[in-house]
C-alpha cells in the first residue's frame, strides 16, 4: 500500500490494489465506473494526521471500495493510531460484507486503544459497476452527500431509523456494535461526496449556530449553489474551490473524497491476466 505524497498524482488501480494513507494529498484515482478525486490536509501541516483514506480494487478489477476514517483528535498526536487503523483497514479490505468489515475494525481497534479510550469514525462505500450501485455503511461518521445529475440537486445520505439508533456507532466505542448499510443506484455524472468533520466544522459554522450544530447543514446548503444543468456533473474542482477555506483551515485534519460516476464497464480479462491474478491471490493468502 502506497503512502501518497503531497504533490498532485494520478493513480490507476489494478486488481487487488490498495491505495491510500493519512498524509496531505491531492490525487486522482481511476477505478472501474468512477472517477475519484481526493484532497486531504493534515493539522498544521504535520507529516501525518488522523484522517485516513483508502481505495481498493477487487481481484476481477470490478468492485471498488472506499474508506474515510477520522481518529478522535488531530495531528501527530493521533498519527500512530491512524497508522494502526490504516493497517487494519487494509487487512480487511477484501471482506465482501461491509457490516462485518466495520465490526472487525471496531473489535480490533478497541483492543488496540483500550488503554487510551480513543475511537474513530469511519465511512465505508463499495461500488458495483455491473449494477451501477454503491453500498454505504456509516460508523458514526458525518454522512456522505449525493449529487443527483438527473435532478440537479444535493441530498444528505443519512437513512436513520429506530432500529439503527443504537447501531453504527464509531469504531472502538462499544464491543459487538451492530452495523447496517444501504444501497443507492447511480446514473452517469452522479457524485458522492465523503468528508471528514474537519471540513464541515472548520469554516462553515456561523456565529449564531449552537456549538457543533448547524455547520454540516450549512455546508449542505452551500453546496446547492454548485448545481449544474440536469444531466451534468459537478466537477471536483468546483467543489474544492467551494471548500477552499475549510481545506486550508488548520483547526483539524480535513479530507474530501469525491466520487463521480462515469458508468464505464469492467474490462475483459485475458487468460494470462486471470492466471496472474490467481497467483497474486495465492501469494496474499500465504
Amino acid at each position: 500500500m502506497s503512502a501518497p505524497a503531497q504533490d498532485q498524482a494520478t493513480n490507476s488501480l489494478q486488481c487487488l490494489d490498495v491505495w491510500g494513507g493519512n498524509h496531505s494529498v491531492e490525487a486522482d484515482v481511476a477505478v472501474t465506473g468512477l472517477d475519484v478525486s481526493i484532497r486531504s490536509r493534515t493539522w498544521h501541516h504535520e507529516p501525518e494526521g488522523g484522517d485516513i483514506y483508502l481505495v481498493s480494487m477487487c481481484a476481477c478489477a470490478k468492485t471498488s471500495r472506499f474508506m474515510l476514517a477520522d481518529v478522535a483528535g488531530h495531528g501527530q498526536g493521533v498519527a500512530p493510531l491512524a497508522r494502526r487503523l490504516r493497517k487494519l483497514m487494509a487487512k480487511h479490505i477484501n471482506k465482501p460484507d461491509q457490516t462485518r468489515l466495520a465490526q472487525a475494525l471496531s473489535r480490533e481497534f478497541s483492543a488496540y486503544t483500550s488503554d487510551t479510550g480513543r475511537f474513530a469514525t469511519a465511512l465505508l462505500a463499495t461500488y458495483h459497476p455491473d449494477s451501477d450501485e454503491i453500498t454505504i455503511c456509516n460508523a458514526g461518521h458525518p454522512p456522505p452527500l449525493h449529487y443527483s445529475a438527473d435532478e440537479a440537486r444535493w441530498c444528505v445520505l443519512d437513512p436513520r431509523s429506530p432500529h439503527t439508533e443504537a447501531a453504527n456507532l464509531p469504531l472502538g466505542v462499544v464491543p459487538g456494535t451492530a452495523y447496517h448499510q444501504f444501497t443507492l443506484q447511480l446514473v452517469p455524472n452522479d457524485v458522492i461526496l465523503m468528508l471528514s468533520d474537519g471540513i464541515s466544522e472548520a469554516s462553515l459554522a456561523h456565529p449564531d449556530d449552537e456549538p457543533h450544530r448547524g455547520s454540516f447543514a450549512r455546508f449542505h446548503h452551500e453546496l446547492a449553489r454548485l448545481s449544474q444543468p440536469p444531466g451534468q456533473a459537478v466537477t471536483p474542482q468546483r467543489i474544492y474551490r467551494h471548500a477552499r477555506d475549510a481545506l486550508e483551515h488548520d483547526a483539524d485534519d480535513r479530507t474530501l473524497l469525491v466520487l463521480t460516476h462515469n458508468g464505464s464497464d469492467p474490462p475483459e480479462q485475458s487468460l494470462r491476466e486471470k492466471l496472474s491474478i490467481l497467483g497474486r491471490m495465492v501469494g496474499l493468502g500465504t
Side-chain angles (χ1 to χ4, degrees):
M1 179 175 61
S2 59
Q6 189 165 351
D7 296 332
Q8 179 72 32
T10 301
N11 304 269
S12 182
L13 294 197
Q14 306 300 317
C15 304
L16 298 175
D17 275 352
V18 181
W19 177 94
N22 62 326
H23 304 70
S24 292
V25 72
E26 296 183 4
D28 298 323
V29 182
V31 299
T32 303
L34 294 171
D35 298 321
V36 184
S37 184
I38 299 173
R39 297 290 185 275
S40 188
R41 297 287 184 270
T42 58
W43 181 70
H44 287 297
H45 306 287
E46 295 279 4
E48 297 177 282
D51 283 0
I52 309 104
Y53 44 87
L54 284 183
V55 183
S56 72
M57 180 71 76
C58 79
C60 297
K62 292 184 178 181
T63 303
S64 51
R65 176 164 287 161
F66 312 91
M67 299 188 180
L68 176 57
D70 182 2
V71 178
H74 50 242
Q76 282 289 91
V78 296
L81 294 179
R83 287 195 297 270
R84 176 60 180 173
L85 182 56
R86 189 178 72 195
K87 290 179 180 178
L88 290 175
M89 293 165 78
K91 172 184 174 182
H92 295 288
I93 196 75
N94 284 319
K95 284 188 182 294
D97 188 337
Q98 287 185 139
T99 61
R100 293 192 176 186
L101 168 60
Q103 289 170 345
L105 290 174
S106 183
R107 181 174 58 252
E108 296 193 37
F109 190 67
S110 178
Y112 184 73
T113 60
S114 59
D115 58 338
T116 66
R118 290 280 187 182
F119 65 90
T121 65
L123 194 60
L124 315 175
T126 302
Y127 174 69
H128 307 276
D130 289 335
S131 60
D132 293 327
E133 293 179 335
I134 190 165
T135 302
I136 296 171
C137 178
N138 191 337
H141 200 81
L145 295 113
H146 170 226
Y147 180 74
S148 169
D150 284 350
E151 299 179 7
R153 68 180 183 91
W154 290 90
C155 68
V156 179
L157 298 177
D158 192 18
R160 297 182 183 180
S161 62
H163 77 278
T164 63
E165 289 182 356
N168 290 63
L169 299 176
L171 307 176
V173 173
V174 178
T177 294
Y179 291 93
H180 304 278
Q181 59 188 15
F182 61 92
T183 297
L184 179 72
Q185 185 84 36
L186 299 179
V187 302
N189 292 322
D190 274 8
V191 177
I192 300 294
L193 178 61
M194 302 164 68
L195 65 155
S196 63
D197 62 9
I199 293 292
S200 61
E201 294 179 0
S203 64
L204 296 175
H206 189 274
D208 295 333
D209 289 336
E210 297 177 29
H212 304 294
R213 291 195 60 180
S215 52
F216 186 87
R218 186 173 297 279
F219 183 78
H220 177 210
H221 175 75
E222 292 290 329
L223 279 178
R225 301 181 181 181
L226 302 183
S227 296
Q228 294 283 91
Q232 297 183 22
V234 175
T235 65
Q237 290 71 28
R238 288 193 68 198
I239 294 173
Y240 295 142
R241 285 197 297 269
H242 167 75
R244 180 177 55 210
D245 290 343
L247 278 167
E248 299 308 322
H249 198 280
D250 265 343
D252 199 352
D253 303 302
R254 52 248 182 252
T255 302
L256 278 172
L257 197 157
V258 183
L259 314 177
T260 304
H261 186 229
N262 61 41
S264 63
D265 295 323
E268 291 292 333
Q269 294 177 334
S270 66
L271 177 60
R272 182 175 181 178
E273 289 172 325
K274 291 178 180 178
L275 291 174
S276 175
I277 293 166
L278 180 60
R280 292 184 63 188
M281 293 178 68
V282 171
L284 289 174
T286 56

